[in-house]
Amino acid sequence: PSSAIMPLTDLQSLAPAIHLDMRYATANNFTGKQVAGYQAAKCLLHKPVAEALSRVEDSLHDAGYALTIFDCYRPTIAVDDFMRWTKNADMSTKPEYFPSLDKWVLVPDYIAEKSGHSKGATLDLGLLDCRSKPCRTLDMGTAFDFFGEQANTAYPHLSAEQRQNRKMLLDAMKQQGFEN
């Protein structure tokens, strides 16, 4: 086996129609600021992962849906930035992102000190309904980066629509080998 490091691929080079909403390249995330290491709003993944995600997008497109990607490869400098944020006193994003939790409990339950995203095979995403234009974001039960039990895939108090939307995404991803 080769010990060579597998290069990362820009997802949009394989799937230009996938919608990117790379939140950590903006202030629209739980830190309230652009995160270190996210100078460009790009989704970088290992090529086989990007190819599988492209197939997910193709299968959803046929039914009038599309993927929206929030995060892909996460440089370790970004993880370090998250850890600094957990230790500072700023609570300005609490109402939107962790209203029922104390900031100090976010690590390790919601924010990892070593992220799977840093391996280039993990991503955060949602669904868009494109059966009419413009496409609209489907209700998944919580917003991206929401810290709380409602974000758990099997949260029991979702509406029927939210459960259906989560199931559609999970099923499409599972068909291409992704794990939740």
Side-chain angles (χ1 to χ4, degrees), residues 10-12 18-22 41-43 67-69 72:
D10 183 341
L11 174 63
Q12 291 209 297
I18 289 182
H19 177 75
L20 296 185
D21 185 4
M22 305 302 288
K42 290 186 174 203
C43 174
L67 295 174
T68 184
I69 310 296
C72 296

Side-chain angles (χ1 to χ4, degrees), residues 15 27 39 60 141 153 157 163 179:
Q39 287 74 23
L60 290 167
T153 303
H157 304 292
R163 274 193 305 279
E179 295 178 14

Side-chain angles (χ1 to χ4, degrees), residues 137-155:
T137 301
L138 287 180
D139 182 359
M140 304 301 276
T142 65
F144 169 70
D145 259 358
F146 182 84
F147 303 131
E149 63 181 354
Q150 302 91 323
N152 184 297
T153 303
Y155 180 65

Side-chain angles (χ1 to χ4, degrees), residues 21-115:
D21 185 4
M22 305 302 288
R23 298 288 180 90
Y24 299 135
T26 73
N28 186 13
N29 64 69
F30 73 90
T31 70
K33 65 177 183 60
Q34 182 181 10
V35 176
Y38 284 90
Q39 287 74 23
K42 290 186 174 203
C43 174
L44 302 176
L45 295 166
H46 290 298
K47 190 171 185 178
V49 178
E51 290 169 339
L53 196 60
S54 178
R55 291 190 300 273
V56 171
E57 172 75 9
D58 289 344
S59 73
L60 290 167
H61 182 268
D62 293 343
Y65 297 94
L67 295 174
T68 184
I69 310 296
F70 301 113
D71 191 28
C72 296
Y73 167 73
R74 182 178 301 159
T76 56
I77 190 172
V79 177
D80 295 342
D81 202 16
F82 289 170
M83 292 302 106
R84 280 189 297 279
W85 174 85
T86 65
K87 292 173 177 69
N88 73 36
D90 179 17
M91 299 294 279
S92 62
T93 61
K94 180 176 177 56
E96 185 176 357
Y97 293 99
F98 54 105
S100 301
L101 298 172
D102 291 325
K103 191 175 186 181
W104 63 270
V105 302
L106 298 178
V107 176
D109 291 343
Y110 296 95
I111 303 171
E113 293 182 70
K114 294 197 183 292
S115 175

